[in-house]
Amino acid sequence: MTVWGASCCAVFVCLLCVHASLALPPAPLTLPLTKVSRSRVSYKFQDASEQDITNLSNTQYYTEIGVGTPPQFFSVIVDTGSGMLWVPSKQCGDTCRRAGFDEVQSSSFSSDHMSVEKYYGHGSIEGYRCVDDLVFGNTSLRVKQQGFTQVTRMDIPELQSDGLLGLSFPEGNDWSPGFIVSLVEQNLLPQPVFSIFLTDQGQAGSQLILGGIDMRFATEPLSWAPVIKSRSFWEVQIDKLLVGGMETSYVTGKTAIIDTGTSLVLAPPGVYSSLFSTYVPMCDGTTGLCDCSQPLPNITFLVNGSALILMPQDYVDGGCKLLIQSNNNNFWILGDIFLKRYYTVFDLADIQHPRIGFARSVTMPVTFHFTKLQIAAISCGAIFFGSLLCYALYRMLRPPQRHAIRQPLLLEA
């Protein structure tokens, strides 16, 4: 075999490798989440008739999406506690954080211009209904004709992103499928799941994985719980609440919403006052301060038979301030301080019976993610140079060949 022959074989194998890799199902899409600090602000959106869900801590997690054809890019809060998607409009003016979406520049845009208004704890947005294509950053994932709200007036103090990406279910009066439902219905994911890993204070590496589960983020197997569909949230049943191993008894607070759009853990008001007066007296529920010179108990949510534990370092910060606060609802909201401790998987394989998986998170893993083309290129390179190496070794190690000696014979006259 010549060098040319070995090279041709290597190229042929490479082409087969590329073809096979492109025939694979789409790989999960891993998106980095950026964490920014903010002041005291609430951004949990509710209808005017509903109770406000207030977030009083200091972080937001956002990613980037592109809206329209060609895409116009915006940073959006990733919010599993909402099914709404909105970005600012070019018409928003000074009330929005930055120049907004220009619908005239998009060839795939449409709108019925029906008005939309949403209220939250300390502000509101106004806009109108729109439909357009969406992409994630510079990826190839494109959601066709997704409904969203184009905001023309915004009153959200100190919001650090441009808009909001809801990953929960559409509400009963919503006019368009939620974003995550569209991903599943358009068969854009290798698996009908998404998962979230949040890093601890000050660390980079938070990720949203669309269409996959990466157990490198977990220290234990996933524990699954069915979702309660009485509301449009990722909501699970709480079987028991334990404090320091002692079972409590409450009439309210029997369910919990898993919400990346809330920084803290929020408890129903009746549960909150009793929790810190009876079971955790070393913490003052009124001032939010704890006596850290005394040992603090674990707080355990028993969910579908599995213990989800918040240790003292999880719910009290370095300044001995409580990271659990009261809200005006009869359910718990497990926000980012809970999600930093538990790698969480949201499963829509059965859209009528979704479920959530929990596993204690690693401290900070090192992960590598490759696209199909990157895998194909690496494989081709390995095969090509491997073939050349094998040929070179063959030439070096083969036994010497004996060639026939041709000696001309002279004829004497």
Side-chain angles (χ1 to χ4, degrees):
M1 179 184 290
T2 65
V3 174
W4 173 250
S7 300
C8 289
C9 290
V11 170
F12 177 73
V13 174
C14 284
L15 292 175
L16 290 178
C17 179
V18 171
H19 175 77
S21 65
L22 294 178
L24 293 173
L29 179 63
T30 300
L31 302 167
L33 297 179
T34 304
K35 178 171 66 174
V36 294
S37 297
R38 62 187 173 86
S39 300
R40 179 186 176 97
V41 60
S42 166
Y43 56 89
K44 181 56 58 191
F45 298 89
Q46 301 292 320
D47 290 325
S49 60
E50 295 184 356
Q51 296 282 359
D52 296 330
I53 302 175
T54 304
N55 179 6
L56 300 176
S57 192
N58 61 352
T59 55
Q60 297 173 357
Y61 291 88
Y62 67 86
T63 190
E64 186 179 65
I65 63 171
V67 183
T69 307
Q72 302 171 44
F73 290 97
F74 302 92
S75 62
V76 287
I77 294 172
V78 173
D79 187 6
T80 60
S82 168
M84 187 176 186
L85 167 62
W86 62 263
V87 296
S89 169
K90 183 182 179 181
Q91 307 169 35
C92 192
D94 295 337
T95 64
C96 287
R97 179 172 173 266
R98 51 158 284 189
F101 179 68
D102 186 353
E103 61 189 53
V104 176
Q105 300 301 318
S106 174
S107 61
S108 50
F109 174 84
S110 64
S111 174
D112 61 7
H113 293 278
M114 293 289 292
S115 63
V116 175
E117 190 170 7
K118 284 285 185 177
Y119 296 88
Y120 69 107
H122 299 284
S124 63
I125 61 166
E126 295 176 5
Y128 56 95
R129 306 189 318 191
C130 306
V131 174
D132 212 331
D133 293 352
L134 301 182
V135 297
F136 270 99
N138 295 318
T139 71
S140 60
L141 180 66
R142 176 176 288 270
V143 184
K144 294 288 188 180
Q145 296 299 285
Q146 174 63 46
F148 69 100
T149 296
Q150 196 173 169
V151 173
T152 55
R153 189 196 68 80
M154 182 191 306
D155 177 22
I156 309 176
E158 301 185 39
L159 184 70
Q160 296 298 310
S161 69
D162 303 321
L164 182 139
L165 174 64
L167 296 179
S168 190
F169 308 99
E171 299 175 17
N173 59 350
D174 282 355
W175 55 278
S176 172
F179 170 77
I180 195 65
V181 175
S182 294
L183 287 178
V184 175
E185 291 181 345
Q186 295 182 30
N187 296 316
L188 298 176
L189 303 178
Q191 300 179 64
V193 302
F194 69 95
S195 56
I196 291 177
F197 171 76
L198 299 184
T199 59
D200 211 339
Q201 188 72 22
Q203 292 180 321
S206 297
Q207 293 186 1
L208 165 65
I209 305 174
L210 295 173
I213 301 172
D214 191 342
M215 291 306 292
R216 289 176 290 182
F217 290 124
T219 62
E220 60 187 4
L222 288 165
S223 299
W224 294 96
V227 169
I228 301 169
K229 288 298 292 290
S230 58
R231 286 183 281 258
S232 301
F233 299 114
W234 289 99
E235 186 174 7
V236 295
Q237 186 76 34
I238 297 178
D239 304 327
K240 293 180 181 179
L241 178 66
L242 308 176
V243 180
M246 181 186 305
E247 184 175 343
T248 63
S249 58
Y250 296 108
V251 176
T252 59
K254 297 295 186 180
T255 66
I257 290 172
I258 313 303
D259 183 12
T260 57
T262 297
S263 297
L264 305 181
V265 166
L266 304 182
V271 176
Y272 181 82
S273 59
S274 175
L275 181 66
F276 294 106
S277 62
T278 304
Y279 298 98
V280 194
M282 60 286 294
C283 293
D284 189 329
T286 302
T287 64
L289 297 175
C290 295
D291 181 0
C292 292
S293 64
Q294 301 184 54
L296 298 172
N298 291 342
I299 297 177
T300 302
F301 301 91
L302 199 65
V303 176
N304 202 32
S306 298
L308 306 178
I309 302 171
L310 287 179
M311 299 178 182
Q313 61 267 31
D314 299 333
Y315 66 85
V316 177
D317 69 10
C320 293
K321 295 180 180 179
L322 268 176
L323 300 178
I324 300 176
Q325 295 184 359
S326 178
N327 68 61
N328 296 323
N329 301 282
N330 62 356
F331 48 82
W332 288 80
I333 301 175
L334 302 183
D336 295 342
I337 71 163
F338 172 84
L339 291 164
K340 290 175 185 177
R341 297 296 168 252
Y342 286 91
Y343 174 56
T344 307
V345 178
F346 303 81
D347 184 1
L348 296 98
D350 184 346
I351 196 68
Q352 299 302 321
H353 302 92
R355 60 179 185 162
I356 306 179
F358 304 97
R360 194 79 179 177
S361 294
V362 297
T363 303
M364 184 58 210
V366 177
T367 60
F368 299 94
H369 299 278
F370 299 100
T371 65
K372 290 186 296 183
L373 288 177
Q374 288 173 327
I375 294 172
I378 293 171
S379 301
C380 286
I383 293 171
F384 181 78
F385 289 107
S387 300
L388 292 181
L389 178 60
C390 288
Y391 179 72
L393 290 174
Y394 165 75
R395 291 295 301 270
M396 291 173 57
L397 299 178
R398 70 175 179 173
Q401 296 183 1
R402 297 180 181 180
H403 299 282
I405 299 174
R406 298 177 181 271
Q407 182 66 32
L409 296 177
L410 301 177
L411 177 64
E412 290 185 2

